[in-house]
Amino acid sequence: MTQTVNNPFFQRYNTPFETPPFNEIKTAHYEPAFEEGIRQLDQEIQDIANNSQPATFENTIVALERSGKLLEKVSSAFFNILNAEADDEMMDISQRVSPKLSESSNNIFLNEKLFARVKTVYEQKEQLALSPEDAKLLEDTFESFSVRGANLSADDKEKYRKLSTDLSVLSLTFDQNALKDKNRYELLLTDEKDLAGLPESIREAAAHRAKEKGKEGWLFNLTAPSYVPFMRYSALRPLRETMYREYMSVGNKGDEYDNKEIIRRIVNIRLEIARLMGHSTYAEYSLKRTMAKTPANVYHLLEQLLEAYKPVAVNEYNAVQGFAMGAEKENITVMPWDWSYYSEKLKDIRFNVNDEMTRPYFELNNVKNGVFGLATQLYGITFKENKEIPVYHPEVDAYEVYDADGKFLSILYTDFHPRDGKQSGAWMNSIKEQYSEADGNDSRPQIIIVMNFTRPTETKPSLLTFDEVNTLLHEFGHALHGMLAKGKYASLSGTNVYRDFVELPSQLMENWLTEKEFLDQIAVHYETGEKIPQELIRKLVDASNFNTGYFCCRQLSFGMLDMAWHTQTEPFEGDVIAFEKQAWARTVIVPEVPGTLMSSSFGHIFSGGYAAGYYGYKWAEVLDADAFSVFKKNGIFNRETARSFRENILSKGGTEDPAVLYKRFRGQEPTIDALLIRNGIKQAEPKANGN
C-alpha cells in the first residue's frame, strides 16, 4: 500500500511542465504502476466496447485514442530509462512486464465487440464529413485492428495472441543479450608501444576510461567513441583485427548471450504472423503501411542504387588497396579491419584533413549551441536550459523550447555520453507526444535525444569528430519533427509517420554540415576561440564525398540483409552466418571474414522497429537530397523554404499520406537524381543561359 501511496505515477507530476519526476521515481514504483495502468486501460476498453449508445467517431475512435493515459505515462518513463540507464533489475522488470503489455494490446485488438464498433464507424466514413486528420485517425484505427488479428477466426486469434507475446519477449531478450555481450569486452593495453598510430586525444580518452574502471593503462571497448577511432588510427594490424572480430561477434559466441537461435525464432514467428494475416512473407505484411507498399518497390530502389554506386565503390576499394600496398611495400589485401585505417590515411593525403585536425573546433557544447542556432535561423525557435527539470542521470540536460512568437513548444532532453547501462548508437524518442486535449488546449511534447559521444577527459572537454557532429544533426532533425508537431492526436503526432518517411527530417539536417556558411558558424577552437579556417572548411567540403560509393553499398548491404530475412517464404532452420553472407553478397566490397556476424547485434531489425524497413534510410535519403535542393536553390537559411518544410512536413506528423505532404512541399515527385548529383555520381544539368 505504501508503494501505491508514494508512487509518483499515481499523482499529477508536480514538476516544471509536468515532466517526469525522475529524482523521485524508484525502480520499485514501475511494476505497481504498470499493473494499475493495464487495469485502467482494460476498464476503459470494456466501457467503450460495451457502450449502449450507437458507435460514433467520438465515442469509439476518439475514446480509443484517448485511453490508457496512466499506462502511457509509466511506459514512456520506463522504456526511455531502460534504453539509456538500464541495470539488471530494470532488465528483469522488462522481461516480466513485456508479456503483460503484449496481452493488454491483444485484449484491445482481438476484442470482437470493440472491433464491431470500430468497423461500424469505418463503414460510415463517407457520410461522416470528417476532417483529413479525423479521417486518417479512423483509417489508421481500422487498419491497426485488421493487421493485428481482428479479422481472424477464434483459433487463429489465440495463435496470434501467443505469437505476438513471444515475439515481444524475444525482441527484448535480443537487445539485452547484445548489450551485455558488448559491455563485457575490454581491450586493456599496458605497453605504450601498442598505442602506435593513435593520436594523443584518443590515448588520453583511453587512459581516462581505464582510470574510471580502476585500471592502469589504456582501455578500449566496443562503444563508438572507443571502437571507431581505434579502427581508424591504430597502426597495429593484429590489434585492429582483434577488435573487429570482437565487434562482429557480439551475440555470436555460443553462450548465454548468443542471439542466433533468437534470430531464427523471431524470423519464424514474424513469418507465421504474416501467414495468419494472409501474406506470403513478413515484408509483404509489414510494407502495406509504408510509402514503398511492396517488397518489389523496395528492391527496385535498392537495385537502382546498387547499380549506380557499386562501380564507384569498387574503384574506391581499389584505390585504398593500391595505397595500402604502396604504404606497406608488400602485397597485402585490405580486410575489414584495415578499411578505416588505410582509407583515413588516403583521405588525409588527398584532402589534408582528418578528425584530429577538426576536433578542436567541434567542442560539444559549442556544437550543440550551433545546432540550436540553426533551428533558430530556420524556424525561429529558441532554447532555454532549465536545471529545475528532473533528469534521470547527472549528464542529462533539459531545455525549454519556445516558438518565434514566444509560445512554449516543447521540453528537450539531451544525453550525450556512453555508459554501461546504455544501448549503443543514437536515437530520439518521445517521453510525451504532442496532442490536443479534450478541451482544445495544445498539450506540448517532451522529447529526448540520446547519443554515445566522446567523453571529456581531465584536460579536455568533449571534442567531437565530424561524424559525431553529423549524428547530432541527424537526431536533432528527429527532435524537430517531434517538437514542432501540431495536431489533434498523439498517435498521428511528430514521428508517428510511415517508417520510410520518418528519416526525412533527420537526414535533411545532415546536409548543413557540408555547407561553408553553417560550418563557419559552429566551428570554433575550444582554446583560442578562433573560427575554423576557411581553408579547413574547404577541405571538409571537398572530402564530403570521399568513399561515398563504399558507404552507400554498406547501407545497401544492411537493407538487403533485412529484406532477405523478411522475404522468407518458409520457416528458417538454417545457418544464420551462411544466410547473412549470401544475403548481402552482391553489396560487399571489402572481403568477407568467415565466422563473423552482424545479424546477432542488428537491433534495428530484430528489436528496434525496422524489420523489413531498414531500406527506409535510403528511401528517405532520396527525399532529403531532393528536399535540400530546394534549400540550395533558395538559400540554405531561407525562412520561407523552412516555413514550407515545417508546415508541410514537420508539423503534420502522420495526419496525411506522406507522398501528398512531400509533393505539397516540393511541388513534384522526387527522383534519385538529386542524390546522385549530391554524391558526385551524376553531373547536374547545365543551367540555361537565358538567351
Side-chain angles (χ1 to χ4, degrees), residues 47-68:
D47 291 344
I48 298 169
N50 296 323
N51 191 338
S52 60
Q53 298 298 312
T56 67
F57 179 77
E58 287 294 329
N59 72 17
T60 301
I61 308 303
V62 175
L64 261 174
E65 170 72 15
R66 306 291 192 199
S67 64

Side-chain angles (χ1 to χ4, degrees), residues 173-181 256-259 262:
T173 304
F174 179 97
D175 236 6
Q176 293 175 359
N177 282 351
L179 177 63
K180 291 174 181 177
D181 196 14
E256 70 270 31
Y257 301 139
D258 194 281
N259 273 332
I262 289 177

Side-chain angles (χ1 to χ4, degrees), residues 177-463:
N177 282 351
L179 177 63
K180 291 174 181 177
D181 196 14
K182 175 180 70 74
N183 282 347
R184 65 179 171 174
Y185 178 74
E186 295 178 346
L187 175 67
L188 181 65
L189 302 179
T190 56
D191 189 336
E192 194 163 357
K193 289 186 295 186
D194 291 336
L195 304 177
L198 296 173
E200 181 55 38
S201 63
I202 306 304
R203 298 182 183 205
E204 185 177 358
H208 184 73
R209 200 175 296 117
K211 186 175 181 180
E212 284 187 322
K213 296 274 189 173
K215 299 178 180 180
E216 294 289 332
W218 299 268
L219 186 64
F220 298 89
N221 57 33
L222 301 181
T223 62
S226 175
Y227 177 79
V228 172
F230 187 90
M231 299 303 291
R232 188 170 289 169
Y233 295 114
S234 173
L236 300 182
R237 198 179 190 210
L239 288 181
R240 294 201 308 270
E241 179 178 354
T242 296
M243 285 287 277
Y244 175 81
R245 289 183 180 277
E246 287 291 340
Y247 189 82
M248 290 294 286
S249 67
V250 171
N252 179 34
K253 297 187 179 71
D255 58 13
E256 70 270 31
Y257 301 139
D258 194 281
N259 273 332
K260 292 194 291 297
E261 181 57 30
I262 289 177
I263 288 172
R264 292 187 190 95
R265 293 174 65 190
I266 286 175
V267 168
N268 291 340
I269 286 175
R270 286 174 176 166
L271 174 59
E272 194 169 350
I273 288 173
R275 285 176 166 180
L276 277 177
M277 303 302 174
H279 300 281
S280 59
T281 69
Y282 183 80
E284 184 182 291
Y285 163 68
S286 176
L287 288 167
K288 285 185 66 178
R289 301 177 73 187
T290 64
M291 293 184 76
K293 303 297 184 189
T294 67
N297 289 336
V298 172
Y299 276 119
H300 177 67
L301 174 69
L302 298 180
E303 294 292 349
Q304 270 189 301
L305 295 174
L306 186 61
E307 182 181 357
Y309 283 88
K310 188 169 183 179
V312 178
V314 170
N315 287 336
E316 290 166 349
Y317 175 79
N318 290 338
V320 173
Q321 173 74 54
F323 171 77
M325 289 192 295
E328 302 300 337
K329 296 182 173 53
E330 62 176 293
N331 188 24
I332 70 165
T333 297
V334 170
M335 297 297 290
W337 49 84
D338 300 319
W339 174 258
S340 291
Y341 178 72
Y342 288 113
S343 60
E344 181 69 17
K345 284 188 173 297
L346 180 57
K347 185 180 83 168
D348 200 359
I349 289 172
R350 284 189 180 176
F351 302 103
N352 191 25
V353 64
N354 58 54
D355 283 339
E356 296 313 299
M357 295 168 64
T358 58
R359 272 185 193 273
Y361 296 97
F362 292 135
E363 189 271 324
L364 175 55
N365 284 319
N366 190 61
V367 170
K368 176 188 65 182
N369 291 334
V371 172
F372 286 175
L374 176 59
T376 304
Q377 285 179 282
L378 293 174
Y379 305 111
I381 65 178
T382 54
F383 301 79
K384 175 186 174 185
E385 186 173 4
N386 185 343
K387 292 190 176 296
E388 298 303 311
I389 293 175
V391 293
Y392 57 83
H393 190 277
E395 292 178 340
V396 177
D397 294 321
Y399 298 85
E400 302 169 19
V401 186
Y402 292 91
D403 212 339
D405 60 3
K407 288 184 179 177
F408 174 71
L409 266 182
S410 175
I411 296 298
L412 174 67
Y413 297 85
T414 62
D415 181 358
F416 288 130
H417 301 297
R419 297 182 293 272
D420 284 347
K422 194 176 190 180
Q423 294 288 347
S424 59
W427 62 91
M428 165 267 180
N429 210 346
S430 297
I431 292 175
K432 184 176 84 68
E433 302 280 9
Q434 180 273 335
Y435 63 92
S436 292
E437 295 175 339
D439 59 7
N441 286 332
D442 187 10
S443 180
R444 298 307 304 170
Q446 298 167 10
I447 306 298
I448 179 170
I449 53 176
V450 184
M451 322 284 171
N452 280 280
F453 287 162
T454 305
R455 280 188 171 279
T457 66
E458 293 175 353
T459 62
K460 291 186 181 70
S462 178
L463 302 176

Side-chain angles (χ1 to χ4, degrees), residues 22 55-56 146 160 232 277 296 394 427 489 545 550 555 600 608 636 684:
F22 290 114
T56 67
S146 298
Y160 176 78
R232 188 170 289 169
M277 303 302 174
W427 62 91
Y489 306 115
N545 279 331
Y550 167 82
Q555 284 290 94
S600 55
I636 64 168

Side-chain angles (χ1 to χ4, degrees), residues 465-625:
T465 66
F466 193 73
D467 288 344
E468 287 177 322
V469 180
N470 192 69
T471 298
L472 178 53
L473 280 164
H474 180 100
E475 299 306 333
F476 187 74
H478 283 311
L480 287 171
H481 207 175
M483 294 189 296
L484 298 178
K486 189 176 182 181
K488 290 171 66 175
Y489 306 115
S491 66
L492 300 177
S493 180
T495 57
N496 291 310
V497 300
Y498 285 171
R499 193 174 47 209
D500 47 10
F501 192 65
V502 75
E503 297 297 334
L504 168 58
S506 56
Q507 293 184 182
L508 179 76
M509 289 297 290
E510 297 176 22
N511 288 278
W512 272 268
L513 189 52
T514 51
E515 294 295 322
K516 292 181 180 180
E517 298 94 323
F518 179 63
L519 276 170
D520 190 49
Q521 291 179 183
I522 70 162
V524 177
H525 199 285
Y526 80 100
E527 289 179 313
T528 67
E530 295 177 358
K531 286 190 172 185
I532 189 170
Q534 290 298 309
E535 178 64 14
L536 194 50
I537 290 179
R538 184 188 64 78
K539 292 173 181 177
L540 282 170
V541 173
D542 289 346
S544 62
N545 279 331
F546 180 68
N547 286 343
T548 189
Y550 167 82
F551 289 117
C552 180
C553 285
R554 184 170 179 268
Q555 284 290 94
L556 292 176
S557 73
F558 302 156
M560 291 288 195
L561 177 61
D562 172 33
M563 290 301 290
W565 279 122
H566 295 110
T567 52
Q568 295 286 296
T569 57
E570 297 295 332
F572 179 79
E573 303 298 339
D575 185 299
V576 172
I577 297 176
F579 181 90
E580 174 174 293
K581 304 303 185 195
Q582 183 178 356
W584 67 17
R586 291 190 304 120
T587 65
V588 170
I589 306 302
V590 182
E592 281 276 34
V593 180
T596 58
L597 183 65
M598 181 192 167
S599 292
S600 55
S601 60
F602 198 177
H604 270 82
I605 68 170
F606 290 115
S607 61
Y610 277 76
Y614 198 87
Y615 77 91
Y617 285 100
K618 303 312 291 183
W619 190 280
E621 192 174 3
V622 171
L623 297 178
D624 94 67

Side-chain angles (χ1 to χ4, degrees), residues 3-4 7-9 25-33 89-90 93:
Q3 282 187 357
T4 303
N7 194 318
F9 292 116
I25 296 172
K26 310 298 182 191
T27 304
H29 292 146
Y30 286 114
E31 285 190 272
E89 192 174 359
M90 288 285 285
I93 292 173

